[in-house]
Structure formats: structure tokens, C-alpha cells
């Protein structure tokens, strides 16, 4: 029983035993109780527990995250559309394999210098401006590619890919920001997973569709026709999504979805310093460890995706379509893993434990994939690649959400941007190194190279201190709400137990 309830019960018992002769005494006690409540209110404010701000969940949040997923899909599709039919584009543009590898690696390289101005722009202008710029750049890149379907226009198609890679900078780190701005604390990890889901689905379609739309034919005119069809379809979808963002995408809901988001909104913009925020993040030791481990894991995934065609063709000549299907299997399994992990996090809040378990299973999956790639059975490769994808791709939203927990109340876009910057750096390094190792020593040596770094990442993940700041903020807000309701309940109890003076005594 609380102290306030006990005080109320004591007052009631005194009324029943002593009657109305203790009127003045009761009034004194009530005045003292009122003073106690006032002191509790003052102490609550001193402790940082303010009155709860109004919050609300809007149905529009699902439209926002699905629209984001759609234009993220369109952009990520183009990341791998050259690499998965590497040999065909080499023949059409008469360039070497390393040059085509750069059509994927340009996505990684562009991200590194531009992520800091983009996250600054996100903090200053908000989600809607970022969404408009992203879809505009993506749309422009697709139409430039439409104009590049001639064997002597490789520079033009590279320019189009560069525009799309710039758009990716405005997309890749947004899932956690959209989830925090629009979704409640019990669904934020699921929403982040849906945001990442679009990116993964785009990669999956990028593995599957190009080998189907662009067959390996010797006639360059026929090949140009097939490539043109693929580019026109992509441009049409990108244009439609740009129009939808103009008319549908909203900056943020009128009321925040959580108390943590309400607190973040209450910080005056003039008190926020982007440079100071970056410096605080770089002094956050658990977050620094996460930056490195995230980069190692996702960098391995980028290398596997970029070089998948070369790995499959080396052991299974003429299987370009099946190489695409294996890539599709990797990403589809990863999307399932992402959604399961997101739902699991919302239910359990076990961020470090889940991240460590998935990281370790990514290492196991990579070892099994490397050991079975050269057995000569494609169905085995489908199974092992799917297992690898389930954990390695499923790790993506885990890293985003763990980062937000470790860095709250810093901007989600900034923390996600640093994670992705690390992933791009390691992605470039791993892709180049694994490609050179494969050329000199074969695919098994290249995959073992990645396994070593996944082992290092697993060990480092175990060293991350689990400091769940966002969860603590929400728990404090709930505690403040319960304390406020308890004080209100006591006030009502005091009024009920106050003795009524008979008219004859007035």
C-alpha cells in the first residue's frame, strides 16, 4: 500500500471513530497532505519527470514507411543490375570485369564523402526534403541510363549510375529515423525492418530480373534492345515514385508517437549542434564498436553480392540465370530474417543478445557457403546461400536499432549514417581484396578471407556494452506517468474522505 493511500485510510478511520469533533484536525491533515503532494510535484520536476506530453499513432505512418520502402527498392535494384550480369555488360561496353565491379562499388564510394552533408541536411530540413532529393536524383539517373544504350556510351551509363548512387546516400540511413518519428515504442523495430525490407527486396529483384530481361546473346543490336527495355522499365517506376513522394510524403505527424520522440522534439533547434553531436557519438565507446562490427558484417555482404556472378560462373559456367536466382535466395531469406528479428526485438528488447546471436550465425553461414560452393551441386548452393542470407541480411535492421538505443537522443539519421559509412568503406575494401584473391587463388580463398573478418566482428560484438538509452527514456516517462496518476488518485481520495460539516454547525 502506498503512503498516500495509507494517509487517506487513516483519515477515514479517524472520522469513523471520533465523529465530527475533529473537524479542524482533519483539515490540518489535509493541508499537510496537499503540501506533501505539492512537494512531490516540485521534487518530480527537479528529478526531470515532467508532465506527460500528448502522443498519438496515425494510420498514415504505414503509408509513409511503405512509400519509403518502394523508392528504396527502386534505387537498390540498380546497385546490382550490372554486377549480376557482369559478363554481358563486359561484352556490350567492351570493358573488363573490374570496371563493371565499379558499377556496384560506386554506390559504396559515393556514400563516404556525402553522408555527413546529407545527415546535416536531414537535421536542418527534415525527412520530406531528403525524400524529394532522393527520388529526384534516382529518377534523373534512370533516364540518363536510357540514353546510354550504345556500346560507345559507357561513360554515360556510368554517369547515370553515379546519380543513382548519390540518391542512395539520401535513402540508406533513413529507416530508423522514419521508424522513430512515426511509430510507437512497441512497433519501432518492426517499422525499421519494413524500411530495410524495401532495400533488400530491391536487391533481390536486381539479382532476379536482369538475367531474365537481358539474355546472353552475341548480336549487339539485339542486346541493346534488351538492355533498353530494362532501363525504360526502371525509369518509369522511378518517375511514378517521384510523383507519389511529391504529393503523399509527409515530414512528421502532428503529435509525436512516443514520449522519447516528444522529448527529442522539445530540444530547441538553436541548442542543437551537428558537429557536437558527431563528437559525442565518436566518444561513445559501445557505438564505436558497433560501427566497426556493422561495417565488417555488411561489407562482407556487399562483397558477396557484387562478386556473386563471378563466383557462380567459375564453378557453374553458363548459369547466369541461376546466379541471379541464388542472389534472390540470399536476399529473400534475409528479408524473412529481418522481419523476424524486428518483431523479436519489439517483444523482448534483447538488442545485444540478438545482435550477437545473428552475427555468430552469419559467420557459420559464411563458412558453410564457402565449403559447399565447389561441390558441383547447385541445389546445395541455393540452401547454403539462403542460410547465409537469412542471418547476414537479417542483421541490417538489428544494427540500426541497436545504434539508436546506444546513442539516444542523438539523431537517428546521424547514427545510421555512420554505420553505413563504415559498411561502404569495408565493402569497397572487401570487394577489391576478395576479387584479387579470387583471381589469384580461387573462390574458396576469397570466401575464407571474409570468414576471418566475420570472426573478428563476432568477438567485438560480444564486447559491446548494452546501454539502452531510448528504452530507459520511455521507462522513465512511464514511471513519471504512474507517479502523476498516483498523486491525482490521492487528491480524489482526500476529497472523498474529507468530513462534511452539518448545516447546523455552519
Amino acid at each position: 500500500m502506498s503512503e498516500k493511500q495509507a494517509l487517506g485510510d487513516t483519515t477515514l478511520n479517524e472520522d469513523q471513530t471520533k465523529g465530527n469533533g475533529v473537524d479542524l484536525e482533519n483539515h490540518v491533515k489535509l493541508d499537510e497532505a496537499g503540501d506533501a503532494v505539492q512537494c512531490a510535484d516540485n521534487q518530480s520536476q527537479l528529478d526531470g519527470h515532467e508532465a506527460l506530453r500528448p502522443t498519438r499513432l496515425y494510420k498514415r505512418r504505414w503509408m509513409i514507411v511503405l512509400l519509403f520502402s518502394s523508392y528504396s527498392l527502386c534505387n537498390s535494384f540498380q546497385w546490382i543490375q550490372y554486377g549480376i550480369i557482369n559478363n554481358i555488360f563486359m561484352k556490350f561496353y567492351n570493358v573488363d570485369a573490374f570496371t563493371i565491379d565499379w558499377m556496384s562499388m560506386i554506390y559504396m564510394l559515393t556514400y563516404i564523402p556525402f553522408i555527413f552533408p546529407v545527415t546535416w541536411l536531414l537535421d536542418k530540413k527534415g525527412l520530406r526534403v531528403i525524400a524529394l532529393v532522393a527520388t529526384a536524383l534516382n529518377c534523373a539517373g534512370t533516364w540518363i541510363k536510357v540514353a546510354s544504350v550504345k556500346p560507345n556510351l559507357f561513360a554515360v551509363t556510368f554517369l547515370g549510375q553515379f546519380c543513382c548512387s548519390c540518391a542512395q546516400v539520401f535513402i540508406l540511413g533513413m529507416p530508423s529515423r522514419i521508424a522513430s518519428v512515426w511509430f510507437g515504442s512497441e512497433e519501432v523495430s518492426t517499422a525499421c525492418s519494413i524500411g530495410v525490407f524495401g532495400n533488400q527486396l530491391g536487391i533481390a529483384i536486381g539479382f532476379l530480373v536482369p538475367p531474365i530481361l537481358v539474355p546472353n546473346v552475341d548480336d549487339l543490336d539485339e542486346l541493346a534492345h534488351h538492355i533498353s527495355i530494362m532501363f525504360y522499365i526502371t525509369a518509369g517506376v522511378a518517375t511514378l515514385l517521384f510523383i507519389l513522394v511529391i504529393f503523399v510524403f509527409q515530414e512528421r505527424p502532428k503529435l509525436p508517437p512516443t514520449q522519447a520522440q516528444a522529448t527529442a522534439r522539445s530540444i530547441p533547434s538553436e541548442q542543437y549542434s551537428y558537429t557536437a553531436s558527431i563528437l559525442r557519438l565518436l566518444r561513445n565507446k559501445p557505438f564505436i564498436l558497433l560501427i566497426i562490427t556493422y561495417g565488417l558484417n555488411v561489407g562482407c555482404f556487399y562483397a558477396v553480392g557484387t562478386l556473386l556472378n563471378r563466383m557462380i560462373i567459375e564453378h557453374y559456367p553458363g548459369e547466369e540465370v541461376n546466379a541471379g536466382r541464388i542472389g534472390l535466395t540470399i536476399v529473400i531469406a534475409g528479408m524473412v530474417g529481418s522481419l523476424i528479428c524486428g518483431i523479436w526485438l519489439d517483444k523482448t528488447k534483447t538488442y545485444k543478445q540478438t545482435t550477437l546471436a545473428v552475427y555468430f550465425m552469419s559467420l557459420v553461414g559464411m563458412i558453410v557457403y564457402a565449403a559447399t560452393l565447389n561441390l558441383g551441386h547447385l541445389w546445395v548452393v541455393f540452401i547454403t546461400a539462403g542460410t547465409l542470407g537469412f542471418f547476414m541480411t537479417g542483421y541490417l535492421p538489428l544494427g540500426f536499432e541497436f545504434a539508436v538505443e546506444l546513442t539516444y537522443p542523438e539523431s537517428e539519421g546521424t547514427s545510421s549514417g555512420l554505420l553505413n559509412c563504415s559498411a561502404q568503406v569495408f565493402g569497397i575494401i572487401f570487394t577489391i581484396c576478395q576479387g584479387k584473391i579470387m583471381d589469384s587463388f580461387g573462390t574458396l580463398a576469397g570466401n575464407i578471407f571474409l570468414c576471418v573478418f566475420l570472426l573478428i566482428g563476432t568477438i567485438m560484438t560480444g564486447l559491446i556494452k548494452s546501454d539502452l538509452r531510448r528504452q530507459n527514456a520511455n521507462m522513465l516517462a512511464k514511471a513519471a506517468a504512474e507517479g502523476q496518476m498516483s498523486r491525482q488518485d490521492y487528491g480524489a481520495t482526500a476529497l472523498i474522505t474529507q468530513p462534511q460539516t452539518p448545516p447546523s454547525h455552519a
Side-chain angles (χ1 to χ4, degrees):
M1 181 183 293
S2 69
E3 180 181 351
K4 296 171 185 176
Q5 290 171 328
L7 181 58
D9 291 344
T10 301
T11 305
L12 181 59
N13 290 335
E14 289 176 351
D15 284 343
Q16 292 171 341
T17 57
K18 297 183 180 180
N20 295 331
V22 291
D23 222 23
L24 179 60
E25 183 181 352
N26 282 335
H27 278 293
V28 170
K29 288 187 177 183
L30 287 171
D31 289 341
E32 291 173 351
D35 291 341
V37 172
Q38 181 64 41
C39 289
D41 287 339
N42 293 338
Q43 184 62 42
S44 177
Q45 290 177 1
L46 289 173
D47 291 341
H49 299 303
E50 301 178 356
L52 290 183
R53 299 176 179 88
T55 60
R56 180 182 172 186
L57 291 177
Y58 295 82
K59 292 181 180 178
R60 189 184 185 92
R61 69 191 188 279
W62 298 109
M63 184 185 302
I64 296 295
V65 74
L66 289 174
L67 180 56
F68 167 80
S69 292
S70 298
Y71 71 75
S72 177
L73 179 156
C74 182
N75 180 261
S76 61
F77 164 80
Q78 297 171 83
W79 166 62
I80 203 64
Q81 71 177 156
Y82 292 90
I84 196 58
I85 46 175
N86 183 293
N87 54 326
I88 295 176
F89 276 108
M90 285 170 56
K91 176 171 60 179
F92 183 76
Y93 287 113
N94 193 26
V95 293
D96 60 20
F98 187 65
T99 302
I100 297 298
D101 287 345
W102 270 107
M103 299 300 282
S104 297
M105 289 192 290
I106 189 63
Y107 264 60
M108 308 175 204
L109 183 63
T110 305
Y111 194 91
I112 298 168
F114 289 128
I115 183 54
F116 295 105
V118 168
T119 51
W120 176 86
L121 186 65
L122 171 65
D123 290 329
K124 294 297 181 182
K125 298 299 182 180
L127 280 171
R128 177 170 167 81
V129 170
I130 296 297
L132 287 170
V133 175
T135 49
L137 284 171
N138 192 58
C139 183
T142 59
W143 286 107
I144 291 173
K145 290 181 187 180
V146 167
S148 72
V149 190
K150 289 185 179 179
N152 62 333
L153 294 181
F154 178 78
V156 177
T157 206
F158 190 85
L159 175 62
Q161 187 75 340
F162 174 74
C163 285
C164 295
S165 71
C166 290
Q168 180 222 210
V169 185
F170 292 83
I171 295 172
L172 208 55
M174 295 305 108
S176 58
R177 178 61 173 261
I178 290 174
S180 292
V181 168
W182 281 93
F183 287 83
S185 59
E186 300 302 319
E187 57 189 15
V188 66
S189 297
T190 303
C192 182
S193 297
I194 294 173
V196 175
F197 183 92
N199 182 274
Q200 295 170 337
L201 184 58
I203 296 172
I205 296 173
F207 278 123
L208 178 66
V209 171
I212 296 173
L213 292 180
V214 186
N216 189 3
V217 296
D218 293 328
D219 188 339
L220 291 185
D221 290 334
E222 184 181 353
L223 194 55
H225 172 71
H226 291 300
I227 293 173
S228 180
I229 290 173
M230 179 174 68
F231 285 166
Y232 267 114
I233 291 172
T234 310
V237 172
T239 304
L240 174 62
L241 290 170
F242 178 47
I243 294 170
L244 285 175
V245 167
I246 291 174
F247 291 104
V248 174
F249 200 92
Q250 187 176 324
E251 170 65 27
R252 66 182 187 181
K254 185 176 180 180
L255 294 176
T258 62
Q259 290 298 320
Q261 187 61 211
T263 301
R265 282 195 191 186
S266 67
I267 300 174
S269 58
E270 61 270 14
Q271 293 183 10
Y272 176 79
S273 168
Y274 178 72
T275 304
S277 176
I278 293 288
L279 292 176
R280 284 193 298 270
L281 290 175
L282 295 179
R283 289 194 296 267
N284 186 330
K285 292 181 180 178
F287 180 61
I288 293 298
L289 282 174
L290 183 62
I291 287 177
I292 298 171
T293 58
Y294 185 90
L296 291 172
N297 189 301
V298 181
C300 288
F301 169 71
Y302 288 160
V304 170
T306 302
L307 302 172
L308 183 64
N309 177 269
R310 290 172 60 182
M311 285 190 276
I312 299 301
I313 295 301
E314 179 175 332
H315 294 289
Y316 307 93
E319 295 287 356
E320 292 91 354
V321 173
N322 273 323
R325 289 171 180 165
I326 291 169
L328 174 70
T329 303
I330 291 174
V331 182
I332 292 294
M335 292 190 304
V336 175
S338 294
L339 289 175
I340 291 174
C341 290
I343 295 170
W344 174 258
L345 284 185
D346 280 332
K347 297 293 184 183
T348 66
K349 307 301 182 185
T350 54
Y351 288 87
K352 179 181 175 178
Q353 298 92 322
T354 305
T355 301
L356 180 58
V358 171
Y359 211 118
F360 174 73
M361 292 307 298
S362 298
L363 169 62
V364 173
M366 190 70 211
I367 293 172
V368 174
Y369 170 77
T372 57
L373 183 61
N374 60 353
L375 293 181
H377 302 291
L378 265 175
W379 65 270
V380 174
V381 180
F382 272 96
I383 294 173
T384 57
T387 304
L388 172 65
F390 181 88
F391 294 106
M392 185 174 281
T393 314
Y395 173 80
L396 296 176
L398 291 179
F400 282 159
E401 283 299 288
F402 198 15
V404 174
E405 290 292 336
L406 293 174
T407 61
Y408 177 85
E410 306 296 344
S411 169
E412 299 88 353
T414 306
S415 60
S416 298
L418 289 172
L419 289 185
N420 283 318
C421 187
S422 172
Q424 313 308 318
V425 171
F426 282 111
I428 292 173
I429 294 171
F430 289 166
T431 301
I432 294 174
C433 292
Q434 187 184 14
K436 298 299 183 183
I437 292 171
M438 285 168 53
D439 291 340
S440 302
F441 304 103
T443 56
L444 178 61
N447 287 324
I448 291 174
F449 166 78
L450 297 183
C451 291
V452 171
F453 286 98
L454 284 174
L455 175 61
I456 295 171
T458 302
I459 296 170
M460 293 181 68
T461 300
L463 300 176
I464 298 175
K465 181 182 177 182
S466 184
D467 181 15
L468 306 182
R469 300 180 180 183
R470 183 175 62 180
Q471 291 302 315
N472 291 338
N474 283 322
M475 290 174 63
L476 286 174
K478 289 180 180 179
E482 291 172 358
Q484 188 177 23
M485 290 179 65
S486 178
R487 290 193 295 272
Q488 291 172 350
D489 289 345
Y490 169 71
T493 302
L495 290 175
I496 292 172
T497 59
Q498 180 175 341
Q500 301 297 317
T501 304
S504 60
H505 292 183

